[in-house]
Amino acid sequence: MLLFQSMLHELWHAARALLHPHLKTADLQRHISHAAVAVVPIRALAERHRKSVLSHLLELPPEDRYLRFGYAAQDSQIERYAEGLDFVKDKVFGIFDRRLRLIAVAHLAYSQDSHFETCAEFGVSVLSHARSRGLGSKLFARAQVHATNDRISLMFIHALSENTAMLKIARRAGATVEREGSESDAYLRLPAPSMHTRMSEIIDDQIADTDYRLKVQAKQFWEILADVQEVRRLTQDAQSKVSP
């Protein structure tokens, strides 16, 4: 909890700065940014996040859409995919930035075939500016823990063979990769759930929930600050016009 105490401490100091009318918003943002650390809270998404997931996927450029879906997905096709997401049966995970924008999303889709009900397919997308931070690997690890606790025995990835980043994530996790022409499949056998995996997921969920609440509070703070500064600017403009 030291991380979140530190973030609250920094946010409180920034709020105090409202007492200083000449301190700019950029200065406050730099002040709060000093509290950033290398922690990536991953939140389980729900129905209320459907529009955010859609917005994230629509931001993907054509080449990323091609790798994520295996074809050159158009906006209408992505919209149908987002509309069809089952947040109850499947599991969707996301990583939010400080503006509550989804920068990475993973979909753990459970098999619809009763003969393979202990299998789940993993898919992930990361916005280009958030690459090279290992977010895809972290989402895969988070999905792996959840699948284990949900007694999924086989987690797999179906991807284009040219999607080296995705296949690299699978190999690092110990998956077996089989290539057949332009497409590849990666299979990862999962162990039975344990106290460690269950506690790990509980802790991850608590961290993600706390992080999300703090980001909501921070976003509200910046919105209030923007309103206060706008009122101050209008007041100063009005005063300058009536001054002799």
Side-chain angles (χ1 to χ4, degrees):
M1 295 301 293
L2 291 178
L3 164 63
F4 303 113
Q5 290 173 355
S6 174
M7 292 173 67
L8 284 173
H9 180 71
E10 292 294 323
L11 187 58
W12 179 77
H13 275 291
R16 286 186 61 192
L18 283 172
L19 299 176
H20 302 279
H22 301 297
L23 190 60
K24 298 179 181 179
T25 300
D27 296 325
L28 294 180
Q29 290 174 331
R30 282 194 293 271
H31 181 68
I32 286 183
S33 67
H34 292 319
V37 293
V39 173
V40 183
I42 297 174
R43 184 175 175 81
L45 305 182
E47 176 64 37
R48 64 182 179 276
H49 300 115
R50 189 183 298 276
K51 289 184 179 179
S52 296
V53 173
L54 174 59
S55 296
H56 163 81
L57 295 172
L58 290 175
E59 280 193 66
L60 297 175
E63 58 272 20
D64 289 347
R65 295 184 182 191
Y66 175 69
L67 292 177
R68 171 61 182 87
F69 295 102
Y71 61 92
Q74 302 301 307
D75 287 358
S76 59
Q77 295 169 310
I78 290 178
E79 288 168 0
R80 285 197 295 274
Y81 167 81
E83 290 171 1
L85 284 173
D86 189 336
F87 291 93
V88 177
K89 179 177 176 56
D90 297 341
K91 202 68 177 181
V92 184
F93 297 99
I95 298 175
F96 291 89
D97 65 9
R98 61 187 179 85
R99 294 186 178 87
L100 299 182
R101 173 190 178 196
L102 278 172
I103 59 174
V105 173
H107 181 195
L108 186 64
Y110 285 44
S111 174
Q112 302 294 322
D113 190 329
S114 59
H115 294 92
F116 301 97
E117 59 184 10
T118 60
C119 299
E121 181 179 6
F122 176 84
V124 67
S125 54
V126 180
L127 296 184
S128 56
H129 76 274
R131 302 277 170 75
S132 302
R133 291 159 52 182
L135 301 186
S137 295
K138 289 179 172 62
L139 282 164
F140 185 85
R142 180 67 184 85
Q144 182 180 343
V145 170
H146 177 79
T148 297
N149 290 335
D150 215 16
R151 299 189 179 280
I152 293 298
S153 62
L154 182 66
M155 188 170 161
F156 69 94
I157 294 173
H158 180 75
L160 295 172
S161 296
E162 61 193 274
N163 193 346
T164 56
M166 173 70 84
L167 298 176
K168 186 176 181 180
I169 290 173
R171 285 193 179 95
R172 282 181 173 177
T176 299
V177 178
E178 298 178 357
R179 177 171 179 169
E180 185 174 346
S182 62
E183 299 182 347
S184 294
D185 291 302
Y187 302 94
L188 181 64
R189 293 285 177 184
L190 300 179
S194 64
M195 179 62 69
H196 172 73
T197 59
R198 295 191 188 284
M199 288 303 300
S200 177
E201 185 163 30
I202 290 173
I203 293 172
D204 286 344
D205 285 342
Q206 289 178 339
I207 290 175
D209 288 343
T210 302
D211 171 80
Y212 188 81
R213 288 197 298 270
L214 287 174
K215 285 174 178 174
V216 169
Q217 293 170 5
K219 185 173 184 292
Q220 292 171 342
F221 166 78
W222 292 119
E223 291 172 349
I224 293 172
L225 177 60
D227 290 341
V228 169
Q229 292 187 331
E230 178 64 15
V231 171
R232 182 181 297 137
R233 185 188 66 78
L234 293 174
T235 301
Q236 290 173 343
D237 290 347
Q239 290 175 342
S240 64
K241 290 179 181 179
V242 300
S243 298

